[in-house]
Amino acid sequence: MATPQEIFKALSAIPSYSGATILPNSTDSTLNIQVSYSQRDLERNVRRKFTRTVVASVAEKSIPLILNGPSVDTGDAVAQLISPSGALSVTLRLVAGEKKKHFVEIWADGSILHLLETTALHDDFYADSTFGTLEWSKDETKIVYVAERKKSEDAVEKYNYKPDWGETFTGKRDPALVVVNLDNFEVKVLERLDGETSPGQAIFSHDSKSLIFTGYLRNPQFFGIVYCQNRLTGLYQINVDGSGFKHLTPTLKSARSPRLSADGSTLVFLSNTVNGPHASCAKLLKLDIPSGKISTVVDIVRKPEAASGFPGLYIDQLPRDTWVSASKIFVSSSYRSRKTLLSIDVHSGVIEELTPASQYPGTTNILFANSKWVLTTYSTPTEPWILILGRIKFEKNNIDLKVQFFSLENSKVEKAKLFYQPHSWSIVHKIPGQLDSLEAIFIEPFKSNTSAQVSSAVSGVKPPLVIFPHGGPHSGFAAEFSILNLVLVGLGFAVANVNFTGSLGYGQDSVEALVGRVGELDVNECLAVRDHILSTGVVDTERTVVTGGSHGGFLSAHLLGRDPTGFKAAVLRNPVTDIPAMASVTDISDWCYAVNDLPFDMEAPPTATISDPEVFRRLRAASPMEHVEKVTAPSLLLIGAGDRRVPPSQGFSWWQARQNKIKTDQSHGVNRIQVFEGTGHALDSVEAESNSTYSMGNFLVEFTRVDHPSVPAATAGQEQAAVGRQGEGGRDTFI
């Protein structure tokens, strides 16, 4: 019988891929691939970063011969990038200590060519996917990155309040473009941009004389930016000396993630609807550089033409290396309950799915692409990420293409296999009486091996069911490897990751269908998934629990109030519990209005939040706090002390209300709470992630375990098919 600690530690030994690139010194027959990884270090409570070189011999029409080099810990390197020719590389390094120091290192032939300390010029580097930048100019004479501008030391000005960019960006207020000139080794921090604009995702123009970047508008208000694609943004250009600042997309309120074609003639980028849901179906647009004309490549898809039809693009950022020819780009995008690899023709708008569900039922994420090769990762709920190499072959017309995929490497961590290989998964959909946009990824423990189930932590002949809705609400689960899911499954639980209506990957109509119905439609659909799975007979109908974080925690709290006897226990992670109380303290006050179909204009936000009694009434009516007094199931709250998105007061107030009710009723209700310092909304520090997972697993086992099950003579093999027939997808899927 494994414990949460044993399962988590075993699975944490599997590294995850954070990047990969085919180095410029590769040939047609031999590829040198630099792969970046991260891994949890549970002894030091840190994430370790390392790289290694994978050499692939790729003779025509044969399976590649793979040679793996040793892993190299990248330590305090914030970001690294090899130059276009491969002759040079740059490393941004942060050295911790009593006083932090920042360095830009230029490497050549395995040694440091130049070491530039930039501590006096700027504060921390940005290496995130929103603002983060590190790029070489095509002529390799310049480098650009983004760093926090130095704070004023003026005796008065240094005390002036200035907002920051919210969740995951606490203390980061003023990103600046920094240009390194390798002709004279000058490091120049460009002046602040006009129009209250913060720069990010900068790239060089084709002639290396200017920069093109995403500008995030912060006037009149800083809105939390992470996970939010609906913010006011534009594409801008500025000369490398800081002159000639101009707006490239003045007719658009949303323009981000610029990617320039190899010949410099075409710039593709993403655009989302401003205001409303934080994430939605995106447009892919292109800017013709010579003429300045903007046109649509892929428009918003309101509803797929068929159940399995293209649902639109759902992309946070375009891949850094996305162009494979003068007319095609590769991207990964949500596609119902999975992510898939797409080829898009930027001239015709034709889209081709390169990893269809019939062959790749799990999730494919692109890491790199060029004219000959593509690198992706692939996983399923019961198989860890593997690294995939795709050989791109263009037809004679140089437009149509085919991709042949090979597996380059997979997990070699033997001790972890015990905790994913025994399990199975399927997609539950077409639930009677429900919308087509409702699905769940259903993971079943031990492939219906009754003896293994009885021996598990929860015991019993059939597994208890965990209803697990996602956060957002406009996000979604993908059929991919998840340690949190597998800890629960390894304890003997069956897990249903619920993609309710409003999840990404089902068309824009589905996204908007949830607006104004949070706390009602999504709650009803979670109950429908539960009831449907219970009706199949594959799980124990008397042992259902619920868990979720953020909006998933919001739904969990609602479910406990809506059906007080329907759940044996619940674990809520940073839950939204009282929307009107949250509106004035969160970094996303617009969310409180948007999901309830109330107007909120980011260009002219309300001067007083919740000043209208009717607005307050509607927000409160949608909140779980409205029926907290009905909750009787044992509950555990897991709170990140540094959460800027859903402030800890949301969880504290719900917990306190339950405490008050328990004391008033003189009952023996179970109501626990844990707070994790030094972490935010995602509870994603290694210490918080590991310990919150242990707490969740142990708590749910405590209230669902059967001590002395009776084992029937019949096998459970027939029950296995009951849920699996409802879905697509597979079990133990390999390339």
Side-chain angles (χ1 to χ4, degrees), residues 429-501:
H429 68 149
K430 296 182 179 178
I431 298 174
Q434 301 299 316
L435 296 171
D436 180 64
S437 51
L438 173 62
E439 287 187 334
I441 302 165
F442 183 67
I443 313 168
E444 189 176 358
F446 312 120
K447 298 179 181 174
S448 293
N449 182 329
T450 303
S451 61
Q453 181 65 49
V454 170
S455 301
S456 71
V458 295
S459 193
V461 176
K462 296 180 181 180
L465 173 64
V466 181
I467 295 297
F468 190 167
H470 60 73
H474 296 102
S475 62
F477 284 118
E480 62 186 345
F481 195 75
S482 162
I483 290 183
L484 181 55
N485 279 336
L486 288 169
V487 167
L488 294 172
V489 176
L491 294 172
F493 292 96
V495 177
N497 293 151
V498 182
N499 279 334
F500 46 82
T501 297

Side-chain angles (χ1 to χ4, degrees), residues 164-229:
D164 61 22
W165 284 104
E167 177 66 25
T168 76
F169 290 103
T170 296
K172 290 191 172 181
R173 301 172 170 85
D174 201 357
L177 293 168
V178 185
V179 177
V180 182
N181 190 327
L182 297 185
D183 289 334
N184 55 17
F185 300 103
E186 177 191 27
V187 181
K188 181 174 183 177
V189 180
L190 302 192
E191 295 298 321
R192 286 186 178 88
L193 305 171
D194 296 336
E196 291 291 312
T197 302
S198 290
Q201 305 171 10
I203 58 175
F204 281 95
S205 60
H206 188 63
D207 61 8
S208 303
K209 295 180 180 179
S210 64
L211 302 169
I212 298 170
F213 59 91
T214 301
Y216 297 89
L217 275 62
R218 56 180 188 259
N219 183 24
Q221 179 177 336
F222 279 68
F223 289 97
I225 196 75
V226 69
Y227 318 128
C228 301
Q229 300 156 14

Side-chain angles (χ1 to χ4, degrees), residues 360-435:
Y360 304 90
T363 284
T364 304
N365 282 324
I366 185 172
L367 300 177
F368 170 88
N370 64 18
S371 61
K372 296 180 179 179
W373 304 99
V374 58
L375 290 168
T376 75
T377 59
Y378 177 79
S379 80
T380 75
T382 56
E383 284 295 327
W385 295 104
I386 60 176
L387 184 64
I388 302 295
L389 173 68
R391 179 189 278 121
I392 303 170
K393 298 289 290 184
F394 283 90
E395 302 296 333
K396 292 182 180 180
N397 59 13
N398 208 33
I399 296 176
D400 298 324
L401 59 81
K402 293 181 179 179
V403 182
Q404 183 182 14
F405 292 102
F406 306 94
S407 174
L408 284 185
E409 63 175 16
N410 51 29
S411 173
K412 302 296 192 299
V413 183
E414 291 296 323
K415 63 182 179 181
K417 293 180 179 179
L418 178 66
F419 300 113
Y420 60 80
Q421 285 188 344
H423 311 310
S424 59
W425 70 280
S426 60
I427 302 295
V428 179
H429 68 149
K430 296 182 179 178
I431 298 174
Q434 301 299 316
L435 296 171

